Amino acid sequence: MAAAAAAVSEPFSFKLAFHRPNSSSLTAFSSLKLPCAANSQNYHFKSLKSQLTPQSHNRIATPLRSTTTTPADVSTVTTFHGLCYVVGDNIDTDQIIPAEYLTLVPSNPDEYEKLGSYALIGLPSSYETRFIDPGETKSKYSIVIGGDNFGCGSSREHAPVALGASGVAAVVAESYARIFFRNSVATGEVYPMESEGRLCEECKTGDVVTIELGESDSKLINHTSGKEYKLKPIGDAGPVIEAGGIFAYARKTGMIPSR
């Protein structure tokens, strides 16, 4: 187990490119609709139908994430592997990234890194294990597991950006605040996955987990406990996040000119 934990805490690098929209870009998005997670557990995603081939995420290095492409007649599976950090219900954006750090500009690489170093710094002292160790700018936890209504509060895009900058590949929660889900998809920073049960009560901070995203069947495997849990499909949001966000997706699909 010590070897597994050490393997997922190796340093890694990242790159981030932000595209500032103009009027023509915005026009091109008039026909693009992103699915949103509702605050109700009755919300269901559409099954992923895209034929896009997953690529390596440019902010996360192996072993935190690996992508496996299978032949055309077999489903494609995207995999995330690492240590998980567990939080409870109603984790709001002030806890994810307090307002005092919103002056940081994510398009500036240095400020992007600094933004990541403050991710989840707003959690109360009851969380004895801190998300980012003192003196570090990256978290050793690549997967966040939450409860109900994750990302509630203000609509700040800095919340998913801060998590992505800290090294988080995916969040698994019982449900999401709608705006946080949309911001996660639009920025391409993290995969917001929904669980079918309260994984925040099944998993513990520091557990070694794997998330497998299939086109119609996704799951979380807890290697520490030996249990597996079904996740809801991410649907049409998957290709947008895989591309790196809404503007990258629009360029990739020809909705706006490529650079």
Side-chain angles (χ1 to χ4, degrees):
M1 184 57 63
V8 296
S9 60
E10 291 293 327
F12 50 88
S13 60
F14 62 89
K15 295 180 181 179
L16 178 70
F18 272 74
H19 175 77
R20 185 176 298 279
N22 52 38
S23 57
S24 61
S25 298
L26 294 176
T27 300
F29 286 113
S30 61
S31 62
L32 179 60
K33 297 182 180 180
L34 298 180
C36 300
N39 289 331
S40 169
Q41 297 182 15
N42 295 324
Y43 182 85
H44 297 285
F45 291 113
K46 295 184 292 182
S47 297
L48 180 60
K49 298 298 183 183
S50 172
Q51 299 301 315
L52 296 178
T53 301
Q55 303 174 13
S56 297
H57 203 288
N58 62 357
R59 289 182 296 279
I60 302 166
T62 53
L64 295 184
R65 174 181 175 186
S66 63
T67 302
T68 302
T69 303
T70 55
D73 58 340
V74 182
S75 297
T76 296
V77 177
T78 300
T79 302
F80 304 94
H81 178 78
L83 302 178
C84 71
Y85 188 86
V86 181
V87 295
D89 297 329
N90 302 311
I91 300 299
D92 61 36
T93 51
D94 281 319
Q95 292 174 301
I96 298 172
I97 185 69
E100 62 190 281
Y101 302 115
L102 299 186
T103 56
L104 293 170
V105 181
S107 58
N108 180 314
D110 291 335
E111 295 192 16
Y112 176 79
E113 182 175 12
K114 184 176 291 186
L115 184 67
S117 71
Y118 295 124
L120 290 175
I121 199 173
L123 289 174
S125 58
S126 57
Y127 288 87
E128 297 181 0
T129 301
R130 304 309 293 174
F131 180 64
I132 297 179
D133 293 332
E136 299 293 330
T137 58
K138 295 288 185 296
S139 176
K140 60 186 177 184
Y141 305 103
S142 59
I143 296 168
V144 173
I145 296 178
D148 183 54
N149 201 28
F150 187 93
C152 57
S154 73
S155 61
R156 64 193 68 168
E157 288 186 353
H158 285 67
V161 173
L163 290 175
S166 73
V168 172
V171 178
V172 179
E174 188 177 2
S175 68
Y176 291 90
R178 182 181 298 271
I179 192 64
F180 178 89
F181 184 92
R182 287 185 65 87
N183 284 340
S184 297
V185 176
T187 60
E189 288 288 340
V190 295
Y191 281 76
M193 303 299 300
E194 279 193 304
S195 61
E196 294 196 344
R198 290 185 61 76
L199 267 61
C200 62
E201 296 178 354
E202 294 283 332
C203 302
K204 295 182 175 61
T205 293
D207 285 355
V208 179
V209 302
T210 296
I211 295 175
E212 294 183 358
L213 305 185
E215 294 184 357
S216 60
D217 183 22
S218 298
K219 62 183 177 181
L220 181 144
I221 306 167
N222 188 321
H223 300 285
T224 303
S225 66
K227 296 181 179 180
E228 295 187 9
Y229 306 92
K230 187 175 181 180
L231 303 178
K232 297 179 182 179
I234 196 166
D236 292 340
V240 181
I241 302 171
E242 186 65 48
I246 190 170
F247 286 100
Y249 175 77
R251 287 192 291 271
K252 186 173 183 177
T253 56
M255 296 179 66
I256 60 176
S258 299
R259 292 181 178 178

